[in-house]
Amino acid sequence: MKPQTITRFFDHLVEANPAPETELDYVNDYTLLVAVVLSAQATDAGVNKATKALFQNVRDPAAMLALGEAGLKQHIRTIGLFNAKAANVIALSALLLERHGGEVPRDRASLEALPGVGRKTANVVLNVAFGEETFAVDTHVFRVSNRTGLAPGKTPLAVELKLEKAIPKPYRRHAHHWLILLGRHTCKARKPECWHCPVVNECGYNAKTTA
Ligand code: SF4
């Protein structure tokens, strides 16, 4: 996609939603990290439902360790892969206390060293908690980037590196949220809804749909 087209593409997304935010509920950096870890292969709505009661009492690593793995499982048992996720959340909470004074670290290497935290999770935390211009490529961002021709790539990392290179300054901070929302609500996996898409004139997808 040409630079002028990319600018118009994001201008339309800004118009539709000037300050997009994550749809995950959280109360501080720690609960954001936990919510993102829980959201792997699960919907944000499902995670929010499970964390509503959890985050009322558990808002830091020490409280999570006090709750314990069995207690955590009771809260998150409606979320896919909850056994492995509970083990990871307990282990990462212990590591946050051991290595980072109970705080969420602001650097990628320290984040990715935590159990259950991969590149995508680190990108979300760096972006949402610390305002960094990172590009978390989830299934929606991957699909939209490829379909539209914005940043085609065979792997999430290839797409991320292309987004990193292609997206100009005013849009970098919120780019991944705009792309997630576009993918979630309009450019859907099974059938994109091109007839009401804000970027229909910029998108390079050839088989555009009609209502
Ligand atoms: S025009 Fe269609 S294919 Fe292109 S981004 Fe919009 S919904 Fe997706």
Side-chain angles (χ1 to χ4, degrees), residues 24-156:
L24 282 172
D25 293 337
Y26 63 99
V27 296
N28 56 22
D29 295 351
Y30 172 71
T31 51
L32 170 69
L33 173 63
V34 171
V36 180
V37 167
L38 295 178
S39 72
Q41 295 176 53
T43 64
D44 287 0
V47 173
N48 290 341
K49 218 169 154 192
T51 56
K52 195 168 187 225
L54 175 68
F55 291 163
Q56 263 166 23
N57 299 313
V58 177
R59 298 179 166 203
D60 59 54
M64 188 64 82
L65 292 183
L67 175 69
E69 195 170 321
L72 175 57
K73 280 184 193 174
Q74 289 305 317
H75 281 279
I76 65 167
R77 54 187 316 119
T78 52
I79 303 175
L81 309 175
F82 76 94
N83 280 314
K85 287 176 181 174
N88 281 336
V89 168
I90 294 297
L92 76 80
S93 300
L95 273 183
L96 288 178
L97 282 168
E98 200 181 302
R99 296 182 185 166
H100 305 288
E103 300 293 321
V104 176
R106 190 179 175 158
D107 69 284
R108 177 185 299 286
S110 300
L111 284 168
E112 289 187 18
L114 298 169
V117 179
R119 187 175 180 91
K120 192 198 78 181
T121 298
N123 279 333
V124 175
V125 172
L126 289 169
N127 180 274
V128 175
F130 300 115
E132 304 222 355
E133 294 172 348
T134 51
F135 303 86
V137 178
D138 71 352
T139 178
H140 300 296
V141 176
F142 185 77
R143 182 178 66 255
V144 169
S145 297
N146 274 292
R147 229 182 224 167
T148 59
L150 174 67
K154 285 197 165 62
T155 64

Side-chain angles (χ1 to χ4, degrees), residues 147-148 186-187 192-194 197 199-200 203 205 208:
R147 229 182 224 167
T148 59
T186 312
C187 194
E193 298 177 2
C194 307
C197 178
V199 296
V200 68
C203 170
Y205 185 61
K208 294 210 175 70

